[in-house]
Amino acid sequence: MNAPLYKFGVFGDEISLIVAFLIGIGFGFFLERAGFGSSKKLVAQFYLTDLSVFKVMFTAIVTAMLGLFWLSWIGFVDLSQVYLNPTYLMPQIVGGLVLGIGFAIGGYCPGTSCVAAATGKLDGVAYLLGVIFGIFVFGAMFPLLKSFFYATPMGNITLPQLLHVPYGFIVFAVVLMAVGGFAGAEWVEKKMAAKS
Amino acid sequence: MHEVTITRHNIQIDPVMHIWEWQIPVYLFLGGLVAGMMMIGGYFLLSGRHKTSRSMCYTMPLLGIVFLSLGMFALFLDLEHKLYVWRLYTTFQPTSPMSWGSWILLLVYPALLATILLKIHEHIPFFLKSRLSFLMKLSSRISDLPNSYRIIGIVNMALGAVLGMYTGILLSALGARPLWNSSILWFLFVISGLSAAAAFVHLIAQEKFERELLAKADNGFLIIELFVIVLFLVGLLSSTAAHQNAAKLLLIGEYAAPFWVFVVGIGIVIPLVVQSLAVTHKVKHTPIAPLLVIGGGIVLRFIIVAAGQQSSWLLTPQNNPVITVLH
Amino acid sequence: MSDVSAAILTNQPHSNPAEAVVKKPQPYSNPYLAGIGLGLVLLAAFVVMGRGLGASGAFSSLVAMGVQSTVPTHATTNEFYAEYLADTSKSPLKDWLVFEVLGVFVGGFLSGMLAHRVNVTTERGPRISVTGRLAFAFLGGALMGFGAKLARGCTSGQALTGGALLNVGSWAFMMMVFGGAYAVAYFIRRQWK
């Protein structure tokens, strides 16, 4: 048996939706466990009083990255079959900036606002309505944005491919960076706690 | 909206039937809900709950009449020849579930009204009392009769059970659609009606004892419903190829995702978990669980009606999910 | 009639001591443990489905369906919506991300319920009104929705998923998200503190 299971035809489209639901339950569960159903907890990241967002996100990235690295190394997962979002550098940089501003103002990101709404936070509901409105505006403006949306295409490209270094090397570098980041985050939190 | 012609000269039934729209599942759900409410209400009367002033005994039949009328209105909208609806009551066809159903529906109303009459003299607003004095007299006469509560309770439970069963048998009797050819479909609808009714009454009950009792009962109904769904599918899978294909519509075919996610997942398993924790006082009672149960009950009727119309004896790619999936 | 007298009449215990106590919200999990859990869910998505997690895409499907049912001509001519409406044989809501996000709601609710963290509130700082906070949340959401579509994904679809896949665009995106948020955080601190 080879993975990704869906890509190798282990189950069909209908079953994939049931899988989606189950994976979503896990996703929502751990987001809520981490406290990401609370906008105050999320934005504390940007005031440096609680760096959970950074810690949770990078632990998750490192876990999934290492898991995928090992599973492909032993030949279980075919990495080329895992969907990679194509890179369009400029729109992604601008989009990221707009999104970050939205994050700080709204207090959530789309995934966490679902968790917030599910646990009764009305600001989460307002935020979700905002997301829908924002997407609608983007859709309506798409003819104007189209050329920028497709600007600076780089194709399906990963950091190891970009830098021409082995995959394992970047994995190792990201782990090191994360561990350093975690130590830094703990230090900053302590410092901020002492200040207040 | 054309009447079903069972012989194959109706273009709307081959290869898939597409005659029944939203009206039928809505009616089946409301019918099942009222059936469940009658059984629960009847049980409450039998067990002496009517002595409690805020019991749901009297609210249930009142709402039952409203829901059943809404359901029958939906059914009426589906009829091709609306003017001739009265003709159903000029005959009784013992071999036709439709005929049984129309007569059962006619018996259900008096039973519900009788339940309301039992104690109407205590509940009616005072300014209506003098104007409706004949009703008051009738009401107190009925409630003074020995055993009147027990008898009306039993009648309610029996008619509720028959009403619930009939909604399933109605579909099972349609031999042309393999998904519905299950000897257990009636029980699935009865138990789903009971769970929706328990959830609904739990949602509106004013008395804590009744709320908790119904939450516990609902958990029981939901567990049974899960078993019945498994038996329903196993029964189809161990039958002919046409039945197996019908089951596959729900297992891997077009209706698999909504069925497992909305009916089994969000409609049964999750409320069961939430409600089990709530009745053991591990978490707060929320209206979420009963609302999910009711939603699941509605989706179940929609999926069974839609998938049933899709299922067929003809093994075309269109209704053979195995072929569709492999495409 | 009060609860107590009704209860005495029916011979039922009028209140269960366990329920009389309002359960306190439990503290959140250790961020590293929650992160590992999240990472394993993401890994499961990679291994089982060959794709990562997402969130904003589900709302795009919702918007696409809404536009399609109100102004069908606009939906079919607009390239953005066309992507979500490509498969005409099924509803645009029968989509992987839509079902995944549905699960997110359920999973979030289950976790919150187990930890007694479900209650209807508006989270805000002490110096902002409820309406003000809701307006900011809507505005932030709108910026997020717009930005997520421009960047082809949000924090889940780009930062988390693409981050684990070492996707170039995702890492650039992630840096910009933090940059953008830190840049404006100071100016809107009244909302939170």
Side-chain angles (χ1 to χ4, degrees):
Chain A
M1 194 167 70
N2 267 326
L5 306 180
Y6 172 70
K7 298 282 170 81
F8 284 95
V10 175
F11 51 86
D13 280 347
E14 280 291 322
I15 304 295
S16 84
L17 297 180
I18 302 171
V19 172
F21 179 65
L22 296 175
I23 285 178
I25 289 181
F27 187 23
F29 189 89
F30 284 111
L31 283 178
E32 208 287 334
R33 286 282 118 169
F36 289 1
S38 157
S39 49
K40 277 186 167 175
K41 174 109 178 157
L42 287 164
V43 293
Q45 169 73 37
F46 307 122
Y47 299 100
L48 300 176
T49 48
D50 179 344
L51 299 185
S52 290
V53 172
F54 172 79
K55 292 187 216 166
V56 172
M57 216 167 128
F58 272 83
T59 317
I61 287 177
V62 166
T63 307
M65 180 186 67
L66 284 177
L68 205 58
F69 176 67
W70 284 325
L71 289 176
S72 74
W73 185 68
I74 62 169
F76 178 60
V77 174
D78 182 354
L79 259 185
S80 68
Q81 292 293 316
V82 176
Y83 176 76
L84 201 64
N85 222 328
T87 294
Y88 291 84
L89 201 58
M90 274 322 284
Q92 282 181 317
I93 284 177
V94 176
L97 203 63
V98 175
L99 196 139
I101 295 169
F103 199 160
I105 293 176
Y108 297 106
C109 61
T112 52
S113 68
C114 298
V115 173
T119 50
K121 311 290 191 308
L122 297 177
D123 46 336
V125 177
Y127 185 92
L128 273 181
L129 295 175
V131 169
I132 291 170
F133 178 71
I135 293 173
F136 174 74
V137 170
F138 182 86
M141 284 173 64
F142 190 74
L144 296 173
L145 296 164
K146 198 178 150 190
S147 58
F148 182 64
F149 185 70
Y150 291 111
T152 55
M154 295 171 69
N156 294 347
I157 187 165
T158 60
L159 290 173
Q161 288 162 350
L162 181 79
L163 305 171
H164 299 292
V165 286
Y167 182 44
F169 181 81
I170 298 281
V171 168
F172 185 66
V174 170
V175 173
L176 273 189
M177 199 192 82
V179 172
F182 295 149
E186 298 294 339
W187 180 80
V188 169
E189 275 181 3
K190 231 172 250 160
K191 196 107 193 198
M192 291 301 288
K195 219 167 93 180
S196 60
Chain B
M1 287 191 282
H2 295 269
E3 307 301 9
V4 181
T5 311
I6 298 291
T7 48
R8 293 234 172 271
H9 64 250
N10 187 335
I11 51 153
Q12 287 196 299
I13 70 165
D14 267 329
V16 293
M17 189 162 110
H18 29 64
I19 293 173
W20 286 351
E21 294 163 6
W22 61 270
Q23 300 94 338
I24 301 295
V26 163
Y27 163 68
L28 291 178
F29 171 74
L30 288 170
L33 178 70
V34 172
M37 282 165 71
M38 286 180 80
M39 284 187 264
I40 292 168
Y43 169 76
F44 276 11
L45 284 180
L46 264 185
S47 59
R49 297 284 318 153
H50 55 86
K51 290 173 199 144
T52 320
S53 69
R54 294 192 304 171
S55 168
M56 281 286 115
C57 290
Y58 305 103
T59 323
M60 270 192 270
L62 219 89
L63 288 170
I65 288 179
V66 175
F67 288 156
L68 196 63
S69 308
L70 284 174
M72 285 183 72
F73 182 66
L75 196 61
F76 176 72
L77 289 180
D78 178 69
L79 289 178
E80 177 80 2
H81 304 289
K82 294 184 173 58
L83 274 179
Y84 296 112
V85 65
W86 55 273
R87 286 197 178 174
L88 279 167
Y89 297 104
T90 59
T91 177
F92 175 66
Q93 300 291 333
T95 56
S96 156
M98 291 252 186
S99 185
W100 275 98
S102 37
W103 284 102
I104 291 165
L105 287 169
L106 217 58
L107 290 177
V108 162
Y109 277 98
L112 290 171
L113 284 173
T115 322
I116 296 168
L117 262 184
L118 269 177
K119 254 198 169 178
I120 202 167
H121 57 286
E122 283 181 22
H123 287 264
I124 205 159
F126 67 94
F127 58 89
L128 282 176
K129 249 180 195 167
S130 51
R131 292 182 202 181
L132 298 170
S133 56
F134 72 96
L135 218 61
M136 301 302 109
K137 262 181 217 151
L138 186 66
S139 168
S140 48
R141 193 169 299 163
I142 295 178
S143 57
D144 286 344
L145 283 175
N147 285 334
S148 58
Y149 287 92
R150 289 180 58 86
I151 292 166
I152 291 181
I154 290 169
V155 166
N156 262 296
M157 287 178 80
L159 278 175
V162 177
L163 176 65
M165 285 183 217
Y166 136 77
T167 57
I169 291 174
L170 183 69
L171 293 180
S172 303
L174 248 161
R177 298 296 142 188
L179 184 77
W180 297 335
N181 288 175
S182 165
S183 53
I184 206 171
L185 190 64
W186 68 270
F187 191 58
L188 177 60
F189 278 20
V190 169
I191 201 76
S192 161
L194 268 171
S195 71
F200 178 70
V201 182
H202 161 80
L203 203 62
I204 58 166
Q206 293 176 308
E207 224 187 275
K208 200 165 166 216
F209 170 75
E210 289 186 354
R211 269 209 308 273
E212 301 214 330
L213 178 77
L214 286 167
K216 281 176 198 157
D218 200 18
N219 287 344
F221 296 144
L222 290 173
I223 291 170
I224 299 172
E225 196 178 342
L226 277 179
F227 276 109
V228 176
I229 285 175
V230 171
L231 289 176
F232 170 66
L233 291 171
V234 167
L236 287 172
L237 283 174
S238 51
S239 191
T240 69
H243 292 96
Q244 289 170 12
N245 282 334
K248 281 174 189 158
L249 279 171
L250 299 183
L251 286 169
I252 52 172
E254 200 178 318
Y255 296 92
F259 180 72
W260 291 99
V261 171
F262 291 105
V263 177
V264 178
I266 300 181
I268 300 179
V269 176
I270 287 164
L272 187 59
V273 171
V274 173
Q275 234 163 214
S276 304
L277 290 169
V279 294
T280 51
H281 302 293
K282 291 208 174 67
V283 300
K284 275 189 297 188
H285 269 285
T286 54
I288 303 277
L291 285 174
L292 293 181
V293 171
I294 294 168
I298 297 172
V299 179
L300 172 74
R301 303 310 193 289
F302 269 91
I303 288 180
I304 294 288
V305 168
Q309 298 192 80
Q310 189 91 11
S311 73
S312 160
W313 290 89
L314 307 168
L315 297 176
T316 59
Q318 205 170 2
N319 60 41
N320 187 336
V322 181
I323 299 174
T324 323
V325 166
L326 294 179
H327 259 305
Chain C
M1 195 187 301
S2 74
D3 271 336
V4 179
S5 55
I8 291 166
L9 273 178
T10 55
N11 289 323
Q12 292 308 325
H14 56 82
S15 72
N16 187 315
E19 222 185 22
V21 182
V22 176
K23 295 223 164 75
K24 271 197 191 140
Q26 287 168 4
Y28 297 122
S29 301
N30 176 304
Y32 300 111
L33 285 180
I36 290 174
L38 206 56
L40 291 177
V41 173
L42 178 57
L43 184 61
F46 286 144
V47 171
V48 178
M49 286 303 302
R51 61 179 294 169
L53 304 169
S56 59
F59 297 98
S60 310
S61 295
L62 198 67
V63 172
M65 197 208 60
V67 171
Q68 186 193 32
S69 51
T70 44
V71 260
T73 48
H74 179 64
T76 44
T77 51
N78 188 316
E79 215 175 302
F80 171 69
Y81 297 123
E83 189 194 326
Y84 295 94
L85 305 170
D87 188 351
T88 48
S89 68
K90 55 175 192 172
S91 158
L93 292 186
K94 232 179 159 182
D95 171 75
W96 201 86
L97 281 178
V98 172
F99 275 75
E100 186 236 53
V101 165
L102 209 64
V104 171
F105 276 97
V106 171
F109 173 74
L110 284 178
S111 165
M113 181 201 66
L114 288 169
H116 315 300
R117 288 193 285 254
V118 178
N119 60 334
V120 179
T121 57
T122 301
E123 281 216 350
R124 61 196 167 105
R127 293 192 290 174
I128 188 166
S129 68
V130 170
T131 329
R133 168 67 190 123
L134 292 180
F136 269 113
F138 183 87
L139 175 69
L143 284 171
M144 178 72 84
F146 190 90
K149 285 305 105 190
L150 200 57
R152 297 171 167 78
C154 59
T155 357
S156 331
Q158 282 289 6
L160 200 59
T161 304
L165 291 172
L166 303 175
N167 191 344
V168 173
S170 304
W171 279 81
F173 165 86
M174 199 179 347
M175 301 299 146
M176 296 316 291
V177 171
F178 279 102
Y182 278 109
V184 295
Y186 176 80
F187 303 101
I188 48 156
R189 62 190 184 284
R190 274 182 62 93
Q191 196 189 174
W192 306 108
K193 297 185 183 182

